[in-house]
Structure formats: structure tokens, C-alpha cells
Amino acid sequence: MTRPAPVGLLGGTFDPIHYAHLRLAEEAADVLGLAQVRFIPAAIPPHRGAPQASAEHRRAMVGIAIGDNSRFVLDDRELQRQGRSYTFDTLAGIRDELGECPLCLLMGADAFVALTTWHRWSELFSLAHIVIANRPGYRLDELDSALPHALKAEYLQRHSNDHRDLARAPAGRIVTHELTAMDVSATALRESIRLGRSLRYLLPDDVIAYIRQHHLYKEHDAL
């Protein structure tokens, strides 16, 4: 039986979604041969404050940003679920849905270093592969020295330099990917909006228009 092509999973608050998110997904899809990348907006992220924009606005902005890319899919299951948005619960649900299809959880190196703080973190490897993308300020060739002991053991056991390993099993591998550096952050974008600075070339024009239309990231989130 031929195994399906891997599916990429990119979670976050997307508050707002910007070109660094989109470029990470596009490069990963090309390099890793992903059939699709699912963008999964978080409802209540466990490791940071509540998003400034409402779930409805963030869902809409993701839909606008990815609408012209046939490989990108909006998956809003975390917005529909009660309580905190735990990645373990999300991966378990997608695994039940897609069976033995390889799943690739995409994340930055900064997020991976903190993985041991995630809910049921050690069980994530039974549900998906992890693809670590380089982020500004983090060198992938120095990653193992920054890892907590328990995570370093998992990294050394599971790491592969061969992207083809992702298609050979449903889950369990760690692959690193050098991402084109784009030092764009949602925090900086929200501050730029507050100060009335230009957002051009930082996120899609249609998303900028949506933010302006709904007066997002000003004094309040006006839905």
C-alpha cells in the first residue's frame, strides 16, 4: 500500500497572520513534498496571553491570506473547541481523521527549545513528525546545546537529515529545515498598527485591508 504524501500542520495565534508564516509553509511544502499545509489558529494559547483579535477575525484573516494557494487549508478545530488549545489534542484529532498519513508539525527553533513545557510533550512524537524551521536569533547547527536534557535525548534519537524519512512513517522523526530568514513578528506588526506605520510588504494587502476595515489592533477589537 502506498502511503499518502505528508500533511503539514502550522499552529499559532495568527494575530495577525503575516508573510513569515506564509513563507515558512510554502518552503516546507516544496522542500518536504507536503500534500497540504493546514493553518490551525489557536483559541486560548497555553503559553501566552489571550490574542488581541477575536477568533472570528483571526479565522477570517487566515482565510484571506491563504485563499489563493491550493496547498493551504484553514483548520479551525481549536477555535471550535472549549478550553485551552493543546497541540496534543489537535494532533490526536487529526490522526483519527487521517489515519496513517504522515503528519508534520511545523515550528520554529525557539518553540522547539521550549517543547518540554507543552502539554503531554513526549507523546507528540507518537502522533506526528516535528519539522524545526530556523528563526532569526537561533542557529540550527547549535540547537542541541540549547535543549533541556530530556528533549536533547529525544532529538538525538529521532533527528534525521533526510527529508524523505517523513514519508516513510506516520510520525516520530525530527527534521530541521533552514528557512529563508524573515524577521517579522505579530507583536511588532500590532505595534506598527497602533503607531500608524506602513504594513506594506509585511503581510498580504487583502489582510491589511481587512485590519483597516475592522479597526483591529487599535484601542479595541471591533467585530
Side-chain angles (χ1 to χ4, degrees):
M1 181 181 69
T2 302
R3 195 181 301 278
V7 168
L9 309 171
L10 181 60
T13 54
F14 302 118
D15 191 28
I17 189 169
H18 51 71
Y19 278 135
H21 297 131
L22 298 168
R23 189 62 204 172
L24 186 161
E26 181 72 4
E27 287 191 14
D30 278 345
V31 172
L32 307 178
L34 305 179
Q36 63 177 225
V37 177
R38 296 191 180 194
F39 287 72
I40 309 172
I44 305 175
H47 293 95
R48 61 178 66 188
Q52 290 191 24
S54 68
E56 290 79 8
H57 280 317
R58 292 183 293 112
R59 179 194 290 114
M61 287 189 284
V62 171
I64 291 168
I66 70 174
D68 63 351
N69 191 320
S70 61
R71 289 191 295 193
F72 290 175
V73 176
L74 170 60
D75 186 329
D76 66 353
R77 71 185 63 221
E78 292 188 356
L79 301 181
Q80 299 178 31
R81 198 165 65 219
Q82 297 296 315
R84 293 188 178 275
S85 301
Y86 291 120
T87 298
F88 174 86
D89 297 333
T90 299
L91 291 181
I94 296 174
R95 174 59 64 206
D96 287 344
E97 174 189 331
L98 297 184
E100 292 297 297
C101 176
L103 300 179
C104 299
L105 181 61
L106 311 178
M107 65 175 65
D110 50 344
F112 183 74
V113 168
L115 193 68
T116 56
T117 67
W118 291 28
H119 178 62
R120 300 176 71 169
W121 72 272
S122 63
E123 298 174 70
L124 299 179
F125 300 110
S126 66
L127 296 170
H129 303 295
I130 292 182
V131 176
I132 309 169
N134 196 19
R135 294 283 301 276
Y138 288 82
R139 289 177 54 87
L140 290 181
D141 58 357
E142 298 174 354
L143 181 63
D144 60 344
S145 64
L147 299 179
H149 178 75
L151 184 56
K152 183 174 182 178
E154 295 284 0
Y155 178 79
L156 294 175
Q157 176 187 348
R158 299 177 182 277
H159 180 251
S160 172
N161 290 315
D162 189 348
H163 295 157
R164 293 172 297 180
D165 283 342
L166 299 173
R168 293 171 177 150
R173 299 297 252 171
I174 299 172
V175 169
T176 50
H177 168 55
E178 287 282 358
L179 178 70
T180 299
M182 294 184 68
D183 193 5
V184 182
S185 77
T187 301
L189 287 175
R190 293 193 299 269
E191 179 66 5
S192 293
I193 294 167
R194 190 183 69 81
L195 296 173
R197 295 172 179 166
S198 172
L199 302 176
R200 197 174 186 187
Y201 310 124
L202 296 173
L203 62 168
D205 288 344
D206 287 347
V207 175
I208 295 173
Y210 184 94
I211 289 171
R212 289 174 175 165
Q213 176 187 353
H214 294 278
H215 309 288
L216 301 184
Y217 308 114
K218 297 291 187 178
E219 293 182 359
H220 58 84
D221 178 14
L223 181 62

